[in-house]
CSV table of all heavy atoms in Angstrom, one decimal:
chain,number,residue,atom,x,y,z
O,1,MET,N,0.9,-1.2,0.0
O,1,MET,CA,0.0,0.0,0.0
O,1,MET,C,0.9,1.2,0.0
O,1,MET,O,1.6,1.5,0.9
O,1,MET,CB,-0.9,0.0,1.3
O,1,MET,CG,-2.1,0.9,1.2
O,1,MET,SD,-3.5,0.4,2.2
O,1,MET,CE,-2.7,0.5,3.9
O,2,PRO,N,0.9,2.0,-1.1
O,2,PRO,CA,1.8,3.1,-1.2
O,2,PRO,C,1.4,4.3,-0.3
O,2,PRO,O,0.2,4.5,0.0
O,2,PRO,CB,1.7,3.5,-2.6
O,2,PRO,CG,0.4,3.0,-3.1
O,2,PRO,CD,0.1,1.8,-2.3
O,3,SER,N,2.4,5.1,0.1
O,3,SER,CA,2.2,6.3,0.8
O,3,SER,C,1.9,7.4,-0.2
O,3,SER,O,2.5,7.4,-1.3
O,3,SER,CB,3.4,6.7,1.7
O,3,SER,OG,3.4,5.9,2.9
O,4,TYR,N,1.1,8.4,0.2
O,4,TYR,CA,0.8,9.5,-0.7
O,4,TYR,C,1.1,10.8,0.0
O,4,TYR,O,1.0,10.9,1.2
O,4,TYR,CB,-0.7,9.5,-1.1
O,4,TYR,CG,-1.0,8.4,-2.1
O,4,TYR,CD1,-1.4,7.1,-1.7
O,4,TYR,CD2,-0.9,8.6,-3.5
O,4,TYR,CE1,-1.6,6.1,-2.6
O,4,TYR,CE2,-1.2,7.6,-4.4
O,4,TYR,CZ,-1.6,6.4,-3.9
O,4,TYR,OH,-1.8,5.4,-4.8
O,5,TYR,N,1.5,11.8,-0.8
O,5,TYR,CA,1.9,13.1,-0.3
O,5,TYR,C,1.2,14.1,-1.2
O,5,TYR,O,0.9,13.9,-2.3
O,5,TYR,CB,3.4,13.3,-0.4
O,5,TYR,CG,4.2,12.3,0.4
O,5,TYR,CD1,4.5,11.1,-0.2
O,5,TYR,CD2,4.6,12.6,1.6
O,5,TYR,CE1,5.2,10.1,0.6
O,5,TYR,CE2,5.3,11.7,2.4
O,5,TYR,CZ,5.7,10.5,1.9
O,5,TYR,OH,6.4,9.6,2.6
O,6,VAL,N,0.9,15.3,-0.5
O,6,VAL,CA,0.4,16.4,-1.3
O,6,VAL,C,1.4,17.6,-1.2
O,6,VAL,O,2.0,17.8,-0.1
O,6,VAL,CB,-1.0,16.9,-0.8
O,6,VAL,CG1,-1.0,17.3,0.7
O,6,VAL,CG2,-1.6,18.0,-1.7
O,7,ASP,N,1.6,18.2,-2.3
O,7,ASP,CA,2.5,19.4,-2.3
O,7,ASP,C,1.9,20.5,-1.6
O,7,ASP,O,0.7,20.9,-1.8
O,7,ASP,CB,2.7,19.8,-3.8
O,7,ASP,CG,3.9,20.7,-4.0
O,7,ASP,OD1,4.3,21.4,-3.0
O,7,ASP,OD2,4.4,20.9,-5.1
O,8,ARG,N,2.6,21.1,-0.6
O,8,ARG,CA,2.1,22.2,0.2
O,8,ARG,C,2.0,23.5,-0.7
O,8,ARG,O,1.3,24.4,-0.3
O,8,ARG,CB,2.9,22.5,1.4
O,8,ARG,CG,2.8,21.4,2.5
O,8,ARG,CD,3.7,21.7,3.6
O,8,ARG,NE,3.7,20.6,4.6
O,8,ARG,CZ,2.9,20.7,5.7
O,8,ARG,NH1,2.1,21.7,5.8
O,8,ARG,NH2,2.9,19.7,6.6
O,9,ARG,N,2.8,23.5,-1.7
O,9,ARG,CA,2.8,24.7,-2.6
O,9,ARG,C,2.0,24.4,-3.8
O,9,ARG,O,2.1,23.4,-4.5
O,9,ARG,CB,4.3,25.0,-3.0
O,9,ARG,CG,5.1,25.5,-1.8
O,9,ARG,CD,6.4,26.1,-2.3
O,9,ARG,NE,7.1,26.7,-1.2
O,9,ARG,CZ,8.4,26.4,-0.9
O,9,ARG,NH1,9.0,25.5,-1.6
O,9,ARG,NH2,9.0,27.0,0.1
O,10,PRO,N,1.1,25.4,-4.2
O,10,PRO,CA,0.2,25.1,-5.3
O,10,PRO,C,1.0,25.3,-6.7
O,10,PRO,O,2.0,26.0,-6.7
O,10,PRO,CB,-0.8,26.2,-5.2
O,10,PRO,CG,-0.2,27.3,-4.4
O,10,PRO,CD,0.8,26.6,-3.5
O,11,GLN,N,0.5,24.6,-7.7
O,11,GLN,CA,1.0,24.8,-9.0
O,11,GLN,C,0.6,26.2,-9.5
O,11,GLN,O,-0.2,26.9,-8.9
O,11,GLN,CB,0.4,23.7,-10.0
O,11,GLN,CG,0.7,22.3,-9.5
O,11,GLN,CD,2.2,22.0,-9.5
O,11,GLN,OE1,2.8,22.0,-10.6
O,11,GLN,NE2,2.8,21.7,-8.3
O,12,ALA,N,1.0,26.5,-10.7
O,12,ALA,CA,0.7,27.8,-11.3
O,12,ALA,C,-0.8,27.9,-11.5
O,12,ALA,O,-1.4,29.0,-11.4
O,12,ALA,CB,1.4,27.9,-12.7
O,13,ASN,N,-1.5,26.8,-11.7
O,13,ASN,CA,-3.0,26.8,-11.9
O,13,ASN,C,-3.7,26.8,-10.6
O,13,ASN,O,-5.0,26.7,-10.6
O,13,ASN,CB,-3.4,25.7,-12.8
O,13,ASN,CG,-3.2,24.3,-12.2
O,13,ASN,OD1,-2.7,24.2,-11.1
O,13,ASN,ND2,-3.4,23.3,-13.0
O,14,GLY,N,-3.0,26.8,-9.5
O,14,GLY,CA,-3.7,26.8,-8.2
O,14,GLY,C,-3.9,25.4,-7.5
O,14,GLY,O,-4.3,25.4,-6.4
O,15,HIS,N,-3.6,24.4,-8.3
O,15,HIS,CA,-3.9,23.0,-7.8
O,15,HIS,C,-2.7,22.5,-7.0
O,15,HIS,O,-1.5,22.8,-7.3
O,15,HIS,CB,-4.1,22.0,-8.9
O,15,HIS,CG,-5.4,22.1,-9.6
O,15,HIS,ND1,-5.8,23.2,-10.3
O,15,HIS,CD2,-6.5,21.3,-9.5
O,15,HIS,CE1,-7.1,23.0,-10.7
O,15,HIS,NE2,-7.5,21.9,-10.3
O,16,HIS,N,-3.0,21.8,-5.9
O,16,HIS,CA,-2.0,21.1,-5.1
O,16,HIS,C,-1.8,19.7,-5.6
O,16,HIS,O,-2.8,19.0,-5.6
O,16,HIS,CB,-2.3,21.1,-3.6
O,16,HIS,CG,-2.3,22.5,-3.0
O,16,HIS,ND1,-1.2,23.0,-2.3
O,16,HIS,CD2,-3.2,23.5,-3.1
O,16,HIS,CE1,-1.4,24.2,-1.9
O,16,HIS,NE2,-2.6,24.6,-2.3
O,17,GLN,N,-0.7,19.3,-6.0
O,17,GLN,CA,-0.5,18.0,-6.7
O,17,GLN,C,-0.3,16.9,-5.6
O,17,GLN,O,0.4,17.1,-4.6
O,17,GLN,CB,0.7,18.0,-7.6
O,17,GLN,CG,0.4,18.7,-8.9
O,17,GLN,CD,1.3,18.3,-10.0
O,17,GLN,OE1,2.5,18.2,-9.8
O,17,GLN,NE2,0.8,18.0,-11.2
O,18,VAL,N,-1.0,15.8,-5.9
O,18,VAL,CA,-0.9,14.6,-5.0
O,18,VAL,C,0.1,13.6,-5.7
O,18,VAL,O,-0.1,13.3,-6.9
O,18,VAL,CB,-2.2,14.0,-4.8
O,18,VAL,CG1,-2.1,12.7,-4.0
O,18,VAL,CG2,-3.2,15.0,-4.1
O,19,HIS,N,1.1,13.1,-4.9
O,19,HIS,CA,2.1,12.2,-5.4
O,19,HIS,C,2.1,10.9,-4.6
O,19,HIS,O,1.8,10.9,-3.4
O,19,HIS,CB,3.5,12.8,-5.3
O,19,HIS,CG,3.7,14.1,-6.1
O,19,HIS,ND1,4.1,14.1,-7.4
O,19,HIS,CD2,3.4,15.4,-5.8
O,19,HIS,CE1,4.2,15.3,-7.8
O,19,HIS,NE2,3.7,16.1,-6.9
O,20,ALA,N,2.5,9.8,-5.3
O,20,ALA,CA,2.7,8.6,-4.6
O,20,ALA,C,4.2,8.5,-4.3
O,20,ALA,O,5.0,9.1,-4.9
O,20,ALA,CB,2.3,7.4,-5.5
O,21,GLN,N,4.5,7.7,-3.2
O,21,GLN,CA,5.9,7.5,-2.8
O,21,GLN,C,6.7,7.0,-4.0
O,21,GLN,O,6.3,6.2,-4.7
O,21,GLN,CB,5.9,6.5,-1.7
O,21,GLN,CG,7.1,6.4,-0.9
O,21,GLN,CD,7.0,5.5,0.3
O,21,GLN,OE1,6.0,4.7,0.4
O,21,GLN,NE2,7.9,5.6,1.2
O,22,GLY,N,7.9,7.6,-4.1
O,22,GLY,CA,8.8,7.1,-5.2
O,22,GLY,C,8.7,7.9,-6.4
O,22,GLY,O,9.5,7.7,-7.3
O,23,CYS,N,7.8,8.9,-6.5
O,23,CYS,CA,7.6,9.7,-7.7
O,23,CYS,C,8.9,10.6,-7.8
O,23,CYS,O,9.3,11.2,-6.8
O,23,CYS,CB,6.4,10.6,-7.6
O,23,CYS,SG,6.2,11.7,-9.0
O,24,PRO,N,9.5,10.7,-9.0
O,24,PRO,CA,10.6,11.6,-9.2
O,24,PRO,C,10.3,13.1,-9.0
O,24,PRO,O,11.2,13.9,-8.8
O,24,PRO,CB,11.1,11.3,-10.6
O,24,PRO,CG,9.9,10.7,-11.3
O,24,PRO,CD,9.1,10.0,-10.2
O,25,TYR,N,9.0,13.4,-9.0
O,25,TYR,CA,8.6,14.8,-8.9
O,25,TYR,C,8.1,15.1,-7.5
O,25,TYR,O,7.4,16.1,-7.2
O,25,TYR,CB,7.5,15.1,-9.9
O,25,TYR,CG,8.1,15.0,-11.3
O,25,TYR,CD1,7.9,13.8,-12.0
O,25,TYR,CD2,8.7,16.1,-11.9
O,25,TYR,CE1,8.5,13.7,-13.3
O,25,TYR,CE2,9.3,16.0,-13.2
O,25,TYR,CZ,9.1,14.8,-13.9
O,25,TYR,OH,9.6,14.7,-15.1
O,26,LEU,N,8.3,14.1,-6.5
O,26,LEU,CA,7.9,14.3,-5.2
O,26,LEU,C,8.5,15.6,-4.6
O,26,LEU,O,9.7,15.8,-4.6
O,26,LEU,CB,8.3,13.1,-4.3
O,26,LEU,CG,7.6,12.8,-3.0
O,26,LEU,CD1,6.1,12.5,-3.3
O,26,LEU,CD2,8.2,11.6,-2.4
O,27,PRO,N,7.6,16.6,-4.2
O,27,PRO,CA,8.2,17.9,-3.7
O,27,PRO,C,8.8,17.8,-2.4
O,27,PRO,O,8.5,16.9,-1.6
O,27,PRO,CB,7.0,18.8,-3.7
O,27,PRO,CG,5.8,17.8,-3.4
O,27,PRO,CD,6.2,16.5,-4.1
O,28,LEU,N,9.8,18.7,-2.1
O,28,LEU,CA,10.4,18.7,-0.8
O,28,LEU,C,9.5,19.2,0.3
O,28,LEU,O,9.5,18.7,1.4
O,28,LEU,CB,11.6,19.7,-0.9
O,28,LEU,CG,12.9,19.3,-0.1
O,28,LEU,CD1,13.4,17.9,-0.5
O,28,LEU,CD2,13.9,20.4,-0.3
O,29,TYR,N,8.7,20.1,-0.1
O,29,TYR,CA,7.7,20.8,0.9
O,29,TYR,C,6.4,20.1,0.7
O,29,TYR,O,5.6,20.5,-0.1
O,29,TYR,CB,7.7,22.3,0.5
O,29,TYR,CG,7.1,23.1,1.6
O,29,TYR,CD1,7.5,23.0,3.0
O,29,TYR,CD2,6.0,24.0,1.4
O,29,TYR,CE1,7.0,23.8,4.0
O,29,TYR,CE2,5.4,24.8,2.4
O,29,TYR,CZ,5.9,24.7,3.6
O,29,TYR,OH,5.3,25.4,4.6
O,30,ARG,N,6.2,19.0,1.5
O,30,ARG,CA,5.0,18.2,1.2
O,30,ARG,C,4.4,17.8,2.6
O,30,ARG,O,5.0,17.8,3.6
O,30,ARG,CB,5.4,16.9,0.5
O,30,ARG,CG,6.4,16.0,1.2
O,30,ARG,CD,7.1,15.1,0.3
O,30,ARG,NE,8.0,14.2,1.1
O,30,ARG,CZ,9.2,13.8,0.7
O,30,ARG,NH1,9.6,14.1,-0.5
O,30,ARG,NH2,9.9,13.0,1.5
O,31,LEU,N,3.2,17.3,2.5
O,31,LEU,CA,2.4,16.8,3.6
O,31,LEU,C,2.1,15.3,3.4
O,31,LEU,O,1.6,15.0,2.3
O,31,LEU,CB,1.1,17.6,3.8
O,31,LEU,CG,0.1,17.1,4.8
O,31,LEU,CD1,0.7,17.3,6.2
O,31,LEU,CD2,-1.2,17.7,4.7
O,32,HIS,N,2.5,14.5,4.4
O,32,HIS,CA,2.2,13.0,4.2
O,32,HIS,C,0.7,12.8,4.5
O,32,HIS,O,0.2,13.2,5.6
O,32,HIS,CB,3.0,12.3,5.3
O,32,HIS,CG,2.9,10.8,5.2
O,32,HIS,ND1,2.8,10.0,6.3
O,32,HIS,CD2,2.8,10.0,4.1
O,32,HIS,CE1,2.6,8.7,5.9
O,32,HIS,NE2,2.6,8.7,4.6
O,33,LEU,N,0.0,12.2,3.5
O,33,LEU,CA,-1.4,12.0,3.6
O,33,LEU,C,-1.7,10.7,4.3
O,33,LEU,O,-2.7,10.5,5.0
O,33,LEU,CB,-2.0,12.0,2.2
O,33,LEU,CG,-2.0,13.3,1.5
O,33,LEU,CD1,-2.4,13.2,0.1
O,33,LEU,CD2,-2.9,14.4,2.2
O,34,GLY,N,-0.8,9.7,4.2
O,34,GLY,CA,-1.1,8.4,4.7
O,34,GLY,C,-0.9,7.3,3.6
O,34,GLY,O,-0.5,7.6,2.5
O,35,ASP,N,-1.2,6.1,4.0
O,35,ASP,CA,-1.1,5.0,3.1
O,35,ASP,C,-2.5,4.6,2.6
O,35,ASP,O,-3.4,4.4,3.4
O,35,ASP,CB,-0.5,3.7,3.8
O,35,ASP,CG,1.0,4.0,4.2
O,35,ASP,OD1,1.5,5.1,3.8
O,35,ASP,OD2,1.5,3.2,5.0
O,36,PHE,N,-2.6,4.5,1.3
O,36,PHE,CA,-3.9,4.2,0.7
O,36,PHE,C,-3.8,3.2,-0.4
O,36,PHE,O,-2.9,3.1,-1.1
O,36,PHE,CB,-4.5,5.5,0.1
O,36,PHE,CG,-4.7,6.6,1.0
O,36,PHE,CD1,-3.8,7.6,1.2
O,36,PHE,CD2,-5.9,6.7,1.8
O,36,PHE,CE1,-4.0,8.7,2.1
O,36,PHE,CE2,-6.1,7.7,2.7
O,36,PHE,CZ,-5.1,8.7,2.9
O,37,VAL,N,-4.8,2.3,-0.4
O,37,VAL,CA,-4.9,1.3,-1.4
O,37,VAL,C,-5.2,2.0,-2.8
O,37,VAL,O,-4.5,1.6,-3.8
O,37,VAL,CB,-6.0,0.2,-1.1
O,37,VAL,CG1,-6.1,-0.8,-2.3
O,37,VAL,CG2,-5.7,-0.5,0.2
O,38,HIS,N,-6.1,2.9,-2.8
O,38,HIS,CA,-6.4,3.6,-4.0
O,38,HIS,C,-6.1,5.0,-4.0
O,38,HIS,O,-6.3,5.7,-2.9
O,38,HIS,CB,-8.0,3.5,-4.3
O,38,HIS,CG,-8.4,2.1,-4.4
O,38,HIS,ND1,-8.0,1.2,-5.5
O,38,HIS,CD2,-9.2,1.3,-3.6
O,38,HIS,CE1,-8.6,0.1,-5.3
O,38,HIS,NE2,-9.3,0.1,-4.2
O,39,GLY,N,-5.5,5.5,-5.1
O,39,GLY,CA,-5.1,6.9,-5.1
O,39,GLY,C,-6.3,7.9,-5.0
O,39,GLY,O,-6.1,9.0,-4.5
O,40,ALA,N,-7.5,7.4,-5.3
O,40,ALA,CA,-8.7,8.3,-5.2
O,40,ALA,C,-8.9,8.7,-3.7
O,40,ALA,O,-9.3,9.8,-3.4
O,40,ALA,CB,-9.9,7.6,-5.8
O,41,ALA,N,-8.6,7.7,-2.8
O,41,ALA,CA,-8.8,8.0,-1.4
O,41,ALA,C,-7.8,9.0,-0.9
O,41,ALA,O,-8.0,9.9,-0.1
O,41,ALA,CB,-8.7,6.7,-0.6
O,42,ALA,N,-6.5,8.9,-1.5
O,42,ALA,CA,-5.5,9.9,-1.2
O,42,ALA,C,-5.9,11.3,-1.7
O,42,ALA,O,-5.7,12.3,-1.0
O,42,ALA,CB,-4.2,9.5,-1.8
O,43,LEU,N,-6.5,11.3,-2.8
O,43,LEU,CA,-6.9,12.6,-3.4
O,43,LEU,C,-8.0,13.3,-2.5
O,43,LEU,O,-8.0,14.5,-2.2
O,43,LEU,CB,-7.4,12.4,-4.8
O,43,LEU,CG,-7.6,13.7,-5.6
O,43,LEU,CD1,-6.4,14.5,-5.7
O,43,LEU,CD2,-8.1,13.3,-7.0
O,44,ARG,N,-8.9,12.4,-2.0
O,44,ARG,CA,-10.0,12.9,-1.1
O,44,ARG,C,-9.4,13.5,0.1
O,44,ARG,O,-9.8,14.5,0.7
O,44,ARG,CB,-11.0,11.8,-0.8
O,44,ARG,CG,-12.1,11.7,-1.9
O,44,ARG,CD,-13.3,10.9,-1.4
O,44,ARG,NE,-12.9,9.6,-0.9
O,44,ARG,CZ,-12.8,8.5,-1.7
O,44,ARG,NH1,-13.1,8.6,-3.0
O,44,ARG,NH2,-12.5,7.3,-1.2
O,45,GLU,N,-8.4,12.8,0.7
O,45,GLU,CA,-7.7,13.2,1.9
O,45,GLU,C,-7.0,14.5,1.6
O,45,GLU,O,-7.1,15.4,2.5
O,45,GLU,CB,-6.8,12.1,2.4
O,45,GLU,CG,-6.0,12.5,3.6
O,45,GLU,CD,-6.8,12.7,4.9
O,45,GLU,OE1,-8.0,12.2,4.9
O,45,GLU,OE2,-6.3,13.3,5.8
O,46,ALA,N,-6.4,14.6,0.5
O,46,ALA,CA,-5.6,15.8,0.1
O,46,ALA,C,-6.6,17.0,0.1
O,46,ALA,O,-6.2,18.1,0.5
O,46,ALA,CB,-4.9,15.7,-1.2
O,47,GLN,N,-7.8,16.8,-0.4
O,47,GLN,CA,-8.7,17.9,-0.5
O,47,GLN,C,-9.3,18.4,0.8
O,47,GLN,O,-9.9,19.4,0.9
O,47,GLN,CB,-9.9,17.5,-1.5
O,47,GLN,CG,-9.4,17.5,-2.9
O,47,GLN,CD,-10.3,16.8,-3.9
O,47,GLN,OE1,-11.1,16.0,-3.5
O,47,GLN,NE2,-10.1,17.1,-5.2
O,48,ARG,N,-9.1,17.6,1.9
O,48,ARG,CA,-9.5,18.0,3.2
O,48,ARG,C,-8.5,19.1,3.7
O,48,ARG,O,-8.8,19.9,4.5
O,48,ARG,CB,-9.5,16.8,4.2
O,48,ARG,CG,-10.6,15.8,3.9
O,48,ARG,CD,-10.6,14.7,4.9
O,48,ARG,NE,-10.7,15.2,6.2
O,48,ARG,CZ,-9.9,14.8,7.2
O,48,ARG,NH1,-9.0,13.9,7.0
O,48,ARG,NH2,-10.0,15.2,8.4
O,49,HIS,N,-7.3,19.0,3.1
O,49,HIS,CA,-6.2,20.0,3.5
O,49,HIS,C,-6.1,21.1,2.5
O,49,HIS,O,-5.9,22.3,2.9
O,49,HIS,CB,-4.9,19.3,3.7
O,49,HIS,CG,-4.9,18.1,4.6
O,49,HIS,ND1,-4.7,18.3,6.0
O,49,HIS,CD2,-5.1,16.8,4.5
O,49,HIS,CE1,-4.8,17.2,6.6
O,49,HIS,NE2,-5.0,16.2,5.7
O,50,TYR,N,-6.1,20.8,1.3
O,50,TYR,CA,-5.9,21.7,0.2
O,50,TYR,C,-6.9,21.5,-0.9
O,50,TYR,O,-7.0,20.4,-1.4
O,50,TYR,CB,-4.5,21.6,-0.4
O,50,TYR,CG,-3.3,21.8,0.6
O,50,TYR,CD1,-2.6,20.8,1.1
O,50,TYR,CD2,-3.0,23.1,1.0
O,50,TYR,CE1,-1.6,21.0,2.0
O,50,TYR,CE2,-2.0,23.4,1.9
O,50,TYR,CZ,-1.3,22.3,2.4
O,50,TYR,OH,-0.2,22.5,3.3
O,51,ALA,N,-7.5,22.6,-1.3
O,51,ALA,CA,-8.4,22.5,-2.4
O,51,ALA,C,-8.2,23.7,-3.3
O,51,ALA,O,-8.1,24.8,-2.8
O,51,ALA,CB,-9.9,22.4,-1.9
O,52,PRO,N,-8.2,23.5,-4.6
O,52,PRO,CA,-8.3,22.2,-5.3
O,52,PRO,C,-7.0,21.4,-5.2
O,52,PRO,O,-5.9,21.9,-5.2
O,52,PRO,CB,-8.6,22.5,-6.7
O,52,PRO,CG,-8.0,23.9,-6.9
O,52,PRO,CD,-8.0,24.6,-5.6
O,53,ALA,N,-7.2,20.0,-5.3
O,53,ALA,CA,-6.0,19.1,-5.4
O,53,ALA,C,-6.2,18.3,-6.6
O,53,ALA,O,-7.3,18.0,-7.0
O,53,ALA,CB,-5.9,18.3,-4.1
O,54,ALA,N,-5.0,17.9,-7.2
O,54,ALA,CA,-5.1,17.1,-8.4
O,54,ALA,C,-4.0,16.1,-8.4
O,54,ALA,O,-3.0,16.3,-7.8
O,54,ALA,CB,-4.9,18.1,-9.6
O,55,ALA,N,-4.2,15.0,-9.2
O,55,ALA,CA,-3.2,13.9,-9.2
O,55,ALA,C,-2.0,14.4,-10.1
O,55,ALA,O,-2.2,15.1,-11.1
O,55,ALA,CB,-3.9,12.7,-9.9
O,56,CYS,N,-0.9,14.0,-9.6
O,56,CYS,CA,0.4,14.2,-10.4
O,56,CYS,C,0.2,13.3,-11.7
O,56,CYS,O,-0.2,12.2,-11.7
O,56,CYS,CB,1.6,13.7,-9.6
O,56,CYS,SG,3.1,13.5,-10.6
O,57,ARG,N,0.6,14.0,-12.8
O,57,ARG,CA,0.4,13.3,-14.1
O,57,ARG,C,1.4,12.1,-14.3
O,57,ARG,O,1.2,11.2,-15.0
O,57,ARG,CB,0.6,14.3,-15.3
O,57,ARG,CG,-0.7,14.6,-16.0
O,57,ARG,CD,-0.4,15.5,-17.1
O,57,ARG,NE,0.0,16.8,-16.7
O,57,ARG,CZ,0.6,17.7,-17.5
O,57,ARG,NH1,0.8,17.4,-18.8
O,57,ARG,NH2,0.9,18.9,-17.1
O,58,HIS,N,2.5,12.2,-13.5
O,58,HIS,CA,3.6,11.3,-13.7
O,58,HIS,C,3.4,10.0,-12.9
O,58,HIS,O,3.7,8.9,-13.3
O,58,HIS,CB,5.0,11.9,-13.4
O,58,HIS,CG,5.2,13.2,-14.2
O,58,HIS,ND1,5.6,13.1,-15.5
O,58,HIS,CD2,5.0,14.5,-13.9
O,58,HIS,CE1,5.7,14.3,-16.0
O,58,HIS,NE2,5.3,15.2,-15.1
O,59,CYS,N,3.0,10.2,-11.6
O,59,CYS,CA,2.8,9.0,-10.8
O,59,CYS,C,1.4,8.6,-10.5
O,59,CYS,O,1.1,7.5,-10.1
O,59,CYS,CB,3.6,9.2,-9.4
O,59,CYS,SG,2.8,10.5,-8.4
O,60,GLY,N,0.5,9.6,-10.7
O,60,GLY,CA,-0.9,9.3,-10.3
O,60,GLY,C,-1.7,8.8,-11.5
O,60,GLY,O,-2.2,7.7,-11.6
O,61,GLY,N,-1.7,9.7,-12.5
O,61,GLY,CA,-2.4,9.3,-13.8
O,61,GLY,C,-3.9,9.0,-13.5
O,61,GLY,O,-4.5,9.6,-12.7
O,62,GLU,N,-4.3,8.0,-14.2
O,62,GLU,CA,-5.7,7.6,-14.1
O,62,GLU,C,-6.1,7.1,-12.7
O,62,GLU,O,-7.3,7.1,-12.4
O,62,GLU,CB,-6.0,6.5,-15.2
O,62,GLU,CG,-5.8,7.0,-16.6
O,62,GLU,CD,-6.6,8.2,-16.9
O,62,GLU,OE1,-7.8,8.2,-16.6
O,62,GLU,OE2,-6.0,9.2,-17.5
O,63,ASN,N,-5.2,6.5,-12.0
O,63,ASN,CA,-5.5,5.9,-10.7
O,63,ASN,C,-6.1,6.9,-9.7
O,63,ASN,O,-6.8,6.6,-8.8
O,63,ASN,CB,-4.2,5.4,-10.0
O,63,ASN,CG,-3.8,4.2,-10.8
O,63,ASN,OD1,-4.5,3.5,-11.5
O,63,ASN,ND2,-2.5,3.9,-10.7
O,64,LEU,N,-5.8,8.2,-9.9
O,64,LEU,CA,-6.2,9.2,-8.9
O,64,LEU,C,-7.5,9.9,-9.3
O,64,LEU,O,-8.1,10.6,-8.5
O,64,LEU,CB,-5.1,10.2,-8.7
O,64,LEU,CG,-3.9,9.8,-7.9
O,64,LEU,CD1,-2.9,10.9,-7.8
O,64,LEU,CD2,-4.3,9.3,-6.6
O,65,ARG,N,-8.0,9.6,-10.5
O,65,ARG,CA,-9.2,10.3,-10.9
O,65,ARG,C,-10.5,9.7,-10.3
O,65,ARG,O,-10.5,8.5,-10.1
O,65,ARG,CB,-9.3,10.4,-12.4
O,65,ARG,CG,-8.3,11.4,-12.9
O,65,ARG,CD,-8.3,11.4,-14.5
O,65,ARG,NE,-6.9,11.4,-15.0
O,65,ARG,CZ,-6.2,12.6,-15.0
O,65,ARG,NH1,-6.7,13.7,-14.6
O,65,ARG,NH2,-5.0,12.6,-15.5
K,1,ZN,ZN1,4.1,12.4,-8.8
Protein backbone atom coordinates (compact mmCIF):
# COMPACT_ATOMS: atom_id res chain seq x y z
CA MET A 1 0.00 0.00 0.00
CA PRO A 2 1.78 3.15 -1.16
CA SER A 3 2.16 6.32 0.84
CA TYR A 4 0.80 9.49 -0.70
CA TYR A 5 1.88 13.08 -0.32
CA VAL A 6 0.42 16.44 -1.27
CA ASP A 7 2.53 19.38 -2.33
CA ARG A 8 2.08 22.21 0.16
CA ARG A 9 2.82 24.70 -2.60
CA PRO A 10 0.24 25.14 -5.35
CA GLN A 11 1.01 24.79 -9.03
CA ALA A 12 0.70 27.79 -11.33
CA ASN A 13 -2.95 26.83 -11.90
CA GLY A 14 -3.67 26.81 -8.16
CA HIS A 15 -3.87 23.01 -7.79
CA HIS A 16 -1.96 21.14 -5.11
CA GLN A 17 -0.50 18.01 -6.65
CA VAL A 18 -0.86 14.60 -5.01
CA HIS A 19 2.08 12.21 -5.43
CA ALA A 20 2.72 8.58 -4.63
CA GLN A 21 5.86 7.54 -2.78
CA GLY A 22 8.78 7.13 -5.15
CA CYS A 23 7.64 9.71 -7.68
CA PRO A 24 10.63 11.59 -9.16
CA TYR A 25 8.58 14.78 -8.86
CA LEU A 26 7.86 14.34 -5.16
CA PRO A 27 8.19 17.86 -3.75
CA LEU A 28 10.44 18.70 -0.81
CA TYR A 29 7.75 20.79 0.86
CA ARG A 30 5.02 18.17 1.25
CA LEU A 31 2.42 16.80 3.62
CA HIS A 32 2.19 13.05 4.24
CA LEU A 33 -1.41 12.01 3.64
CA GLY A 34 -1.06 8.37 4.71
CA ASP A 35 -1.08 4.96 3.08
CA PHE A 36 -3.93 4.25 0.70
CA VAL A 37 -4.89 1.28 -1.44
CA HIS A 38 -6.45 3.57 -4.02
CA GLY A 39 -5.13 6.91 -5.14
CA ALA A 40 -8.65 8.30 -5.20
CA ALA A 41 -8.80 8.02 -1.40
CA ALA A 42 -5.50 9.89 -1.16
CA LEU A 43 -6.92 12.62 -3.37
CA ARG A 44 -9.99 12.94 -1.14
CA GLU A 45 -7.73 13.20 1.91
CA ALA A 46 -5.63 15.85 0.15
CA GLN A 47 -8.74 17.89 -0.54
CA ARG A 48 -9.47 18.01 3.19
CA HIS A 49 -6.22 19.98 3.55
CA TYR A 50 -5.86 21.75 0.23
CA ALA A 51 -8.43 22.48 -2.42
CA PRO A 52 -8.30 22.16 -5.28
CA ALA A 53 -6.01 19.14 -5.35
CA ALA A 54 -5.10 17.14 -8.44
CA ALA A 55 -3.24 13.95 -9.25
CA CYS A 56 0.35 14.16 -10.42
CA ARG A 57 0.42 13.26 -14.11
CA HIS A 58 3.62 11.28 -13.69
CA CYS A 59 2.85 8.97 -10.75
CA GLY A 60 -0.92 9.28 -10.33
CA GLY A 61 -2.40 9.33 -13.76
CA GLU A 62 -5.72 7.57 -14.12
CA ASN A 63 -5.49 5.95 -10.69
CA LEU A 64 -6.22 9.19 -8.90
CA ARG A 65 -9.22 10.34 -10.90
ZN1 LIG B 1 4.11 12.43 -8.83
